[in-house]
Amino acid sequence: MPILSLSAGRVTAIWGHAYRIEPNGALVPLHVGDQITGWQQILTDQKGIVEIEPKALSPKLLALIQAADADHAIARIESQAPEAAPAAGLEGGSGSLLPGLRVDRVHESVSPQGQIVGQIPETVDRAITPYQLPAEVAAQQLDASGSGAIELPPNAGPFPLPGETPVPVALITLSEKGLVGDTATYPVSQTQALDLSPALDPGHFSLQPPSTSLFAAGGQALIWLSDGHGGLVARTAADGPDYVQARWDASTQQVTVTLTGPLQHATGADVLNFDLHGVVPSGGVNQPAADVFVAVQDDAPHLMAPPPLVAQAGTNLMVVLDTSSDMAPSLNGMTRLQATLQALGALIDRYAEVGPVAVRLVQASDTPHLLGSTWLSSEQAKSLVASLYAHGDHAFDRAFTVAEDAFSTTDGRIDGAHNVSYFFVGGPSGSDALGVTEASAWTQFLNDHQITSHVIGVGAGVTESDWASVAYDGVAHAAIDPVVVTSPSALHQIEPDHAVSIIKGSLLDTVAMGADGLGGVVGITVGDQHHSVAEAVQGILTITTTLGGTFSVDVHSGQYSYQPPADATDFALDPIQFTLADKDGDPVSSTLNAVVNRFNVVNSTYFNDTLVGHHGTDVFTWHLYDVKQWGTTSSVDHVKGFEFGEPRLAGGDVLDLRDLLQGEHAAAGGDALSHFIEVDSNAAGTTLHISSGGHFYDGVPAAAIQDHAIVLDGVDLRAGLGLTADTSSAVLLNHLLAQGQLRVDP
């Protein structure tokens, strides 16, 4: 029943269910201890009781009320309005605490029905319009002190207006959050009893649809259908899924309302209210039998994590190798295939320097086939091709089909990675050339998977025009030129395109859209430039970022791609602000920081070197030729500008000792590696003493038996890694490995 709190006060007890009605119509559960303002509307179930400890009225406020409302109170008493009764009647009248004229009575009933205090009896399907206090009264503040308690008897029932029949009421509160989370905290289903009038047959009871239209999140109108048992279901189509279920159990006279899908809430509204009226046919008409009030709490989107740093996830590298006799001729002392495999190993390593790499191998022989059943690690791939030799014929046309199937294998493939393909061929395509239909299918395949396909012709006799339809950029949707090389050194100069490779992902990666789901992208902001979805072309919004990169996003799905600026040389973050909305229109905003980082390989030489880095990831690389010969003084290389941080996301530098050390393994950990590397550090710099064969042992001075040394000028490795000065070399090396700043063999 709806009641009206006539004085501000504190809730001290609640029986049944009770809610306060907010100005926007939202039902908010009432709890013991809540503070109630004057004239606050409260809704209870049929037998609900709310005990309120009111605040005392100040003498000034009381005088204003009495002076302003005397005439109004007398008029209401003379009209015999039940809510205006100044005290309990002899027959158990309702009584009231409405502001007005006090009329003393000598005899007052104290029967249970005569104890009702502070209620305006009225059926719940009517709007409550309380008498308005004068402005000067409403502006007064109530005293903080208060005493007394409003008490309702357990058997209090509904009190209708004259001429109306009371009906039982169920108050149901559900939450969309429970559709995607904790239903114990956020219920999606509630059951309440409706004690129908004994004169009504519960077997003929039926719920009626709400008088106002409801919509599913996203705007589809809901239609209400009978479930054949007195209940209702709400769907967007007759054969569609349920969004709301209202079930009636005639045997227990219980109603159960279940939320099974998200509903459309008005913009800015947190609660959606609707009511279902229960009727029973009697005398040829439907008699009101019960009211079910339902409040559905909205589920708004929220951030799951702080603004992310996003960088290239890695590289999926597909390699198609011509192993026919075309690859047998000599190329400066080795076969074309041998030179290709040597260069391929170096190319795979270059991609691995950037981040994770997965390799898929296709042998384009007279019977094209896969090498390995899944995507391979860089080391597995290099090992697998080491034994290949040139012989037989080729079938390039069938190799394309095998390549397409190979790429589609998901086992081991890196999600969201840059996709690259290399065709290494030793001669013309001949009769195996792609026809128009085949070339079109290959181009479509590259576009669909955003693959950049390179063709490397090895040796004289390869005609670029033969392979023009194979070399294609599926990211930029543009043809690229095949490359023909005629020497091993030219093969080794093939530059991987990871420096400007694309970053892909979803704006939803760190945003929870909730039960309503993604409505779409609202807008993108870079710098002081805002871009709305109105600028999208065929659903794709493409903008130029602050650093000159290209950001494209599907405004319907939130999937994006980011192409770093081609001329970027230093590490930088390119911030992209975005706003998403759920299907209710509730917004959530965050910032995506795209990492722009060009990896730069700095090689040592046989001599004493000074290697200088840049503001970005430098991979300082040493080789076995750096090791001193027996009986000679060990060489010493200096590194200037070494920077800390995870290389891919923070632009930190890398010490690559894979070719310098012999027999070391990262899996063995820092203790084993400390036999190869011993570290001295202080504020002036750090010296890495190197024993390429792992001959450092306790008690033997490293400087006495080292065969190489690396000095990081002005860099204290221990301090830079947050370690104490007495941290062992083993622990320090483990930290470098974990941060990706030290590379040794796996």
Side-chain angles (χ1 to χ4, degrees):
M1 295 292 294
I3 65 175
L4 196 65
S5 173
L6 304 180
S7 297
R10 183 175 62 87
V11 177
T12 54
I14 298 174
W15 291 266
H17 297 85
Y19 302 82
R20 70 174 186 269
I21 304 177
E22 296 294 286
N24 64 359
L27 297 179
V28 179
L30 199 62
H31 303 285
V32 172
D34 285 353
Q35 294 292 330
I36 301 300
T37 61
W39 301 95
Q40 172 72 61
Q41 297 182 37
I42 297 173
L43 191 64
T44 69
D45 56 19
Q46 183 181 2
K47 296 182 179 180
I49 302 172
V50 178
E51 180 181 85
I52 301 174
E53 181 180 51
K55 295 179 179 179
L57 298 177
S58 68
K60 180 178 180 180
L61 180 58
L62 183 59
L64 285 168
I65 293 175
Q66 291 171 339
D69 298 336
D71 291 341
H72 176 77
I74 292 171
R76 298 293 286 158
I77 293 170
E78 290 177 347
S79 69
Q80 297 185 352
E83 71 270 22
L90 293 175
E91 302 302 323
S94 61
S96 176
L97 279 184
L98 275 170
L101 181 66
R102 171 67 185 175
V103 179
D104 293 327
R105 293 183 179 178
V106 177
H107 299 288
E108 296 184 317
S109 169
V110 293
S111 65
Q113 287 186 331
Q115 297 176 6
I116 306 301
V117 180
Q119 289 197 24
I120 296 181
E122 186 175 3
T123 52
V124 295
D125 57 345
R126 292 177 176 270
I128 299 176
T129 307
Y131 171 70
Q132 299 298 313
L133 291 174
E136 66 271 19
V137 177
Q140 300 296 315
Q141 298 295 317
L142 298 178
D143 287 344
S145 62
S147 61
I150 297 175
E151 187 174 293
L152 299 178
N155 64 343
F159 291 84
L161 290 177
E164 293 188 349
T165 302
V167 295
V169 173
L171 303 176
I172 304 290
T173 301
L174 308 175
S175 175
E176 287 184 351
K177 291 183 179 180
L179 294 173
V180 292
D182 178 12
T183 56
T185 305
Y186 305 105
V188 295
S189 184
Q190 280 191 2
T191 299
Q192 289 195 25
L194 292 173
D195 298 327
L196 303 186
S197 168
L200 300 177
D201 181 1
H204 291 89
F205 176 91
S206 63
L207 290 170
Q208 304 300 300
S211 56
T212 57
S213 298
L214 296 183
F215 300 87
Q220 292 178 286
L222 294 179
I223 58 175
W224 293 86
L225 305 171
S226 171
D227 67 357
H229 303 284
L232 295 167
V233 294
R235 300 171 178 170
T236 57
D239 57 351
D242 295 344
Y243 279 76
V244 180
Q245 299 170 349
R247 306 296 188 186
W248 169 248
D249 187 335
S251 63
T252 62
Q253 297 192 35
Q254 289 183 324
V255 62
T256 299
V257 181
T258 303
L259 182 69
T260 55
L263 304 182
Q264 183 84 45
H265 288 68
T267 302
D270 292 330
V271 178
L272 171 68
N273 296 315
F274 63 91
D275 56 299
L276 305 171
H277 298 289
V279 299
V280 173
S282 177
V285 296
N286 285 330
Q287 296 292 334
D291 283 322
V292 179
F293 291 89
V294 183
V296 180
Q297 181 75 33
D298 194 12
D299 184 16
H302 62 275
L303 299 179
M304 296 187 297
L309 294 175
V310 294
Q312 183 185 328
T315 304
N316 292 317
L317 182 62
M318 184 169 68
V319 179
V320 181
L321 280 169
D322 177 6
T323 59
S324 72
S325 56
D326 285 343
M327 295 289 274
S330 175
L331 196 69
N332 289 16
M334 62 183 80
T335 68
R336 293 178 180 179
L337 182 59
Q338 289 171 335
T340 297
L341 296 180
Q342 194 177 84
L344 175 60
L347 184 66
I348 292 174
D349 287 342
R350 292 293 303 277
Y351 276 104
E353 288 164 0
V354 176
V357 61
V359 184
R360 201 72 169 106
L361 297 173
V362 177
Q363 184 174 351
S365 58
D366 50 0
T367 306
H369 60 279
L370 298 174
L371 298 176
S373 58
T374 64
W375 289 84
L376 308 170
S377 69
S378 57
E379 296 302 318
Q380 289 173 327
K382 289 188 292 183
S383 174
L384 200 56
V385 300
S387 60
L388 295 179
Y389 62 97
H391 68 288
D393 204 348
H394 52 66
F396 292 136
D397 51 352
R398 295 201 300 273
F400 290 103
T401 302
V402 175
E404 292 176 13
D405 292 340
F407 185 86
S408 300
T409 305
T410 58
D411 190 1
R413 193 175 67 189
I414 303 171
D415 291 336
H418 182 42
N419 300 321
V420 186
S421 171
Y422 283 88
F423 254 80
F424 289 94
V425 296
S429 55
S431 61
D432 294 336
L434 293 180
V436 174
T437 302
E438 293 169 318
S440 177
W442 174 250
T443 299
Q444 187 62 50
F445 167 73
L446 298 176
N447 284 332
D448 290 344
H449 297 280
Q450 293 189 307
I451 302 172
T452 302
S453 174
H454 299 279
V455 174
I456 311 298
V458 184
V462 180
T463 305
E464 294 179 8
S465 59
D466 277 351
W467 299 98
S469 60
V470 179
Y472 182 84
D473 188 341
V475 177
H477 308 299
I480 56 180
D481 294 328
V483 175
V484 176
V485 296
T486 56
S487 69
S489 61
L491 270 171
H492 280 272
Q493 291 172 8
I494 296 172
E495 187 73 17
D497 56 9
H498 60 64
V500 292
S501 59
I502 201 167
I503 298 171
K504 295 185 292 184
S506 171
L507 296 181
L508 300 178
D509 287 344
T510 57
V511 175
M513 295 308 299
D516 291 327
L518 175 66
V521 177
V522 175
I524 302 293
T525 300
V526 291
D528 58 357
Q529 298 295 314
H530 179 73
H531 302 268
S532 73
V533 295
E535 301 174 40
V537 177
Q538 296 184 338
I540 304 298
L541 177 60
T542 301
I543 60 176
T544 300
T545 64
T546 304
L547 296 182
T550 301
F551 181 80
S552 297
V553 61
D554 186 320
V555 299
H556 303 297
S557 68
Q559 294 291 322
Y560 71 82
S561 63
Y562 172 80
Q563 183 74 44
D567 57 353
T569 58
D570 293 340
F571 174 86
L573 297 180
D574 203 354
I576 301 162
Q577 300 174 32
F578 62 90
T579 300
L580 309 176
D582 67 11
K583 292 178 180 178
D584 272 351
D586 298 320
V588 61
S589 298
S590 186
T591 300
L592 179 149
N593 289 295
V595 174
V596 177
N597 188 20
R598 180 182 290 274
F599 278 63
N600 180 43
V601 178
V602 183
N603 283 292
S604 67
T605 69
Y606 179 79
F607 304 100
N608 292 336
D609 299 307
T610 297
L611 309 180
V612 181
H614 77 303
H615 183 53
T617 297
D618 294 296
V619 182
F620 297 104
T621 305
W622 285 266
H623 304 277
L624 188 58
Y625 54 64
D626 286 297
V627 175
K628 75 166 186 176
Q629 299 300 312
W630 181 255
T632 63
T633 303
S634 63
S635 59
V636 178
D637 291 333
H638 287 258
V639 173
K640 294 184 179 296
F642 183 86
E643 296 178 334
F644 291 97
E646 197 277 323
R648 193 169 64 95
L649 294 178
D653 293 330
V654 178
L655 302 174
D656 188 346
L657 308 182
R658 288 175 295 179
D659 192 47
L660 176 63
L661 306 182
Q662 305 298 306
E664 89 295 355
H665 296 285
D671 284 334
L673 287 176
S674 64
H675 295 297
F676 295 84
I677 309 168
E678 186 169 307
V679 183
D680 292 329
S681 65
N682 54 45
T686 297
T687 299
L688 283 72
H689 303 282
I690 303 296
S691 172
S692 60
H695 301 303
F696 289 150
Y697 293 96
D698 291 340
V700 179
I705 61 173
Q706 70 182 26
D707 49 22
H708 191 62
I710 299 169
V711 179
L712 308 181
D713 290 341
V715 173
D716 185 341
L717 269 185
R718 287 181 172 84
L721 293 170
L723 306 174
T724 60
D726 59 352
T727 299
S728 68
S729 294
V731 172
L732 183 150
L733 294 172
N734 280 332
H735 275 73
L736 284 176
L737 286 170
Q739 196 156 284
Q741 293 199 265
L742 174 64
R743 288 183 184 165
V744 296
D745 289 332

